[in-house]
Amino acid sequence: MAKPFLMIHIRPGKCDYCGCCVGVCPEDAIELQESKIAVIEERCTNCRKCVWACPWEVIEFHREGIKDLPKEISALDNLQFAHSLK
Amino acid sequence: MKTRYDIIVVGAGPAGSTAARYAAAGGASVLMLEKDRDVGYPVRCGEAVSHEGVIQFIQPDSKWIAATVTKFRLVAPNGKSVVPRLDGIGYVLERRIFDYELAKLAAEEGVEVVTKAYVYDLLKNDDGVVVGIRALIKDEKIDIPCKIVVAADGVESRVGKWAGIDTTCHIRDMESCAQMTISGINVEQDVLDFYFGDDVSPGGYLWVFPKGKNTANVGLGLSVEEAKKKSAIKFLREFIEKKFPNAAILTHIAGGVPCAKTCDRIVANNVILVGDAAHQVNPVSGGGIISGMIGGMIGGQVAAEAITKKDLSHLTEYEKRWQKRLGWRHEVFYNIKEAIASFSDDTLNSICDSALKLPEEKRTLGGIFRAALWNKPSMLMEVAKVFVS
């Protein structure tokens, strides 16, 4: 099912890169490196399991979708990073 | 680095290092890749192990032992506690040193180790058969062929998924964890403390493990089903503010523990899963260091045998040996975990009261368990299975 836009946002500066979210993601939609993390937009179904799993509450769910990409530069880098690998 | 290997191990935690070590000892050429720049760091672990567990793999050494423990203390929701006797002793580790030592044992067997090496995909031939890995090593993309891939890539494992195994942990079984190593506190160095109850960690537990003078690992894990309502970090902050208001926080980390049965499949398409990646965790305690190393050892041995025999179908032997050694036990523990998680605070308090009435010599974990059984008779059959074999 097509979805309008990404609703899951990982606040990059706050993440501990622990991988708990990746472990519960049923869609293999999170790319995690040593200190980089990103949601792979095409796979994410906005199920929110990652939001619930995050021990530090750094994953946000935006009901209206993320229309403007996050301002943080690292978030943009991370999104590009996730795409560059596949 | 060579251009190809018999076996590539993805992840250099205890399970990965142990798999690599036994695979190399069995005569295979082995490369171990670690995504972080360091083996053993960051530490995402409460760090407690039993002496009996650890000596199967490495002789205890003071340089990676932060504390030697002889007692458990179980604290009920009403604050009363019971201290069961233990048969053996346990250790609180310095994982950053412990993991290094395990990697060194692997290196002594001839394993090559590369850090800052992130595996982002599997290499497959035209028939979809796994024939290697694709990695980003120090920011350079490199494909490395091999015959067998050992996925020791932890709770965040994706390698198994790429091989066609569903390794996703159900949110009911994933424990969302937070831990702080705190100092400047008064903490007994020979006791592992476990706190239970809805105020500290509903359905799970909070631990205070000594980490050397005036220092402890304080952490908790709770099922994602519960964390949905209130997160691990909130529970942890509240506990530390109340109990250790003046503590210095030396580290604070997040983590996830798959407190599930072993994955339905741990072998597929020339890939085997070990450790957290395979959900080889004791579902009651959440402990996964020793069981992951046991999985790693069996996996490494079987992988080496498959190489020697030139028969990769031999890998299915790993699943059988794991199931016989620990897999079946984890299934039983899983059912016990389900029962314990359903205990109300009142039940936990009454278990503690019953345990305190036991004469001291009977105040063992088994004795407390029997007290618990009075409150939950359905556990009886499950427990019987553990002790019968």
Side-chain angles (χ1 to χ4, degrees), chain A residues 16 23 25 28 31 34 53 57, chain B residues 37 44 118 158 176 231 254:
Chain A
D16 195 39
C25 176
D28 192 22
E31 189 76 46
E34 182 176 30
E57 299 179 26
Chain B
R37 75 189 72 186
R44 301 191 187 282
Y118 174 62
R158 297 173 69 205
S176 179
S231 69

Side-chain angles (χ1 to χ4, degrees), chain B residues 276-292:
Chain B
D276 281 9
H279 302 174
Q280 287 170 334
V281 172
N282 176 335
V284 173
S285 66
I289 301 173
I290 303 300
S291 52

Side-chain angles (χ1 to χ4, degrees), chain B residues 383-389:
Chain B
V383 179
K385 282 188 231 160
V386 181
F387 294 109
V388 161
S389 85

Side-chain angles (χ1 to χ4, degrees), chain A residues 16-20 22-26 28 30-34 40 43 49 52-57 84-86, chain B residues 36-37 44 116 118 120 136 141 155-156 158 161-162 168-169 174 176-177 224 228 231 233-234 252-256:
Chain A
D16 195 39
Y17 313 104
C18 77
C20 191
V22 183
V24 296
C25 176
D28 192 22
I30 303 174
E31 189 76 46
L32 170 71
Q33 232 195 341
E34 182 176 30
I40 302 166
R43 296 188 195 168
K49 286 179 178 161
W52 303 325
C54 178
W56 279 10
E57 299 179 26
S84 72
L85 290 177
K86 294 282 166 177
Chain B
D36 293 349
R37 75 189 72 186
R44 301 191 187 282
K116 214 166 167 46
Y118 174 62
Y120 67 88
L136 198 62
K141 282 186 180 177
V155 64
E156 68 267 44
R158 297 173 69 205
K161 288 183 184 177
W162 301 332
T168 308
C169 188
M174 180 67 88
S176 179
C177 303
V224 171
K228 217 191 244 190
S231 69
I233 189 67
K234 281 206 177 103
H252 86 297
I253 52 154

Side-chain angles (χ1 to χ4, degrees), chain A residues 40-81:
Chain A
I40 302 166
E41 199 176 338
E42 306 82 68
R43 296 188 195 168
C44 177
T45 60
N46 300 314
C47 76
R48 286 187 279 173
K49 286 179 178 161
C50 56
V51 179
W52 303 325
C54 178
W56 279 10
E57 299 179 26
V58 306
I59 310 185
E60 297 166 346
F61 175 72
H62 297 257
R63 199 167 292 280
E64 302 299 316
I66 304 163
K67 287 174 190 136
D68 302 312
L69 273 171
K71 286 192 189 98
E72 295 99 323
I73 292 164
S74 49
L76 292 170
D77 283 351
N78 282 348
L79 289 168
Q80 280 159 7
F81 153 77

Side-chain angles (χ1 to χ4, degrees), chain B residues 2-292:
Chain B
K2 295 197 262 286
T3 52
R4 58 176 58 242
Y5 292 85
D6 292 329
I7 298 168
I8 294 179
V9 179
V10 183
S17 279
T18 306
R21 170 184 170 186
Y22 282 92
S29 66
V30 183
L31 172 69
M32 179 161 69
L33 302 174
E34 167 56 49
K35 81 173 180 351
D36 293 349
R37 75 189 72 186
D38 244 324
V39 170
Y41 183 82
V43 178
R44 301 191 187 282
C45 186
E47 303 183 286
V49 291
S50 69
H51 168 79
E52 286 137 42
V54 87
I55 53 162
Q56 299 173 72
F57 300 99
I58 185 168
Q59 280 309 305
D61 187 329
S62 59
K63 70 183 168 192
W64 45 258
I65 295 173
T68 301
V69 292
T70 56
K71 284 177 268 186
F72 276 109
R73 178 164 42 222
L74 309 174
V75 185
N78 62 10
K80 285 192 201 172
S81 63
V82 54
V83 184
R85 290 188 313 129
L86 285 187
D87 290 333
I89 59 167
Y91 304 114
V92 181
L93 303 174
E94 289 290 355
R95 276 285 302 274
R96 53 167 63 183
I97 303 171
F98 180 74
D99 286 23
Y100 246 84
E101 293 303 311
L102 295 179
K104 278 157 75 174
L105 288 174
E108 278 168 24
E109 296 289 351
V111 173
E112 285 182 54
V113 184
V114 179
T115 63
K116 214 166 167 46
Y118 174 62
V119 172
Y120 67 88
D121 206 355
L122 290 169
L123 205 57
K124 292 180 183 170
N125 68 14
D126 292 342
D127 300 324
V129 178
V130 173
V131 291
I133 57 96
R134 316 194 71 187
L136 198 62
I137 297 180
K138 297 172 179 78
D139 290 330
E140 196 181 329
K141 282 186 180 177
I142 303 173
D143 292 347
I144 311 171
C146 66
K147 295 180 183 124
I148 298 166
V149 177
V150 177
D153 51 338
V155 64
E156 68 267 44
S157 176
R158 297 173 69 205
V159 172
K161 288 183 184 177
W162 301 332
I165 305 175
D166 183 11
T167 58
T168 308
C169 188
H170 194 284
I171 59 167
R172 190 183 64 228
D173 295 332
M174 180 67 88
E175 296 275 312
S176 179
C177 303
Q179 177 176 277
M180 299 191 191
T181 302
I182 62 175
S183 199
I185 57 166
N186 189 11
V187 56
E188 290 170 65
Q189 287 299 306
D190 58 346
V191 189
L192 297 177
D193 275 330
F194 298 84
Y195 291 78
F196 297 87
D198 288 343
D199 284 347
V200 287
S201 177
Y205 67 83
L206 180 148
W207 62 85
V208 179
F209 292 168
K211 207 69 222 265
K213 197 165 180 276
N214 300 332
T215 306
N217 284 340
V218 182
L220 64 89
L222 73 171
S223 153
V224 171
E225 289 281 20
E226 289 292 337
K228 217 191 244 190
K229 299 171 218 159
K230 183 171 165 183
S231 69
I233 189 67
K234 281 206 177 103
F235 277 107
L236 184 60
R237 280 201 193 112
E238 281 174 17
F239 181 85
I240 288 181
E241 273 162 26
K242 204 167 106 192
K243 193 97 178 163
F244 305 108
N246 300 315
I249 296 161
L250 305 186
T251 64
H252 86 297
I253 52 154
V257 181
C259 289
K261 297 176 191 173
T262 309
C263 293
D264 288 343
R265 289 160 70 209
I266 53 176
V267 179
N269 201 350
N270 304 338
V271 173
I272 66 171
L273 306 177
V274 299
D276 281 9
H279 302 174
Q280 287 170 334
V281 172
N282 176 335
V284 173
S285 66
I289 301 173
I290 303 300
S291 52

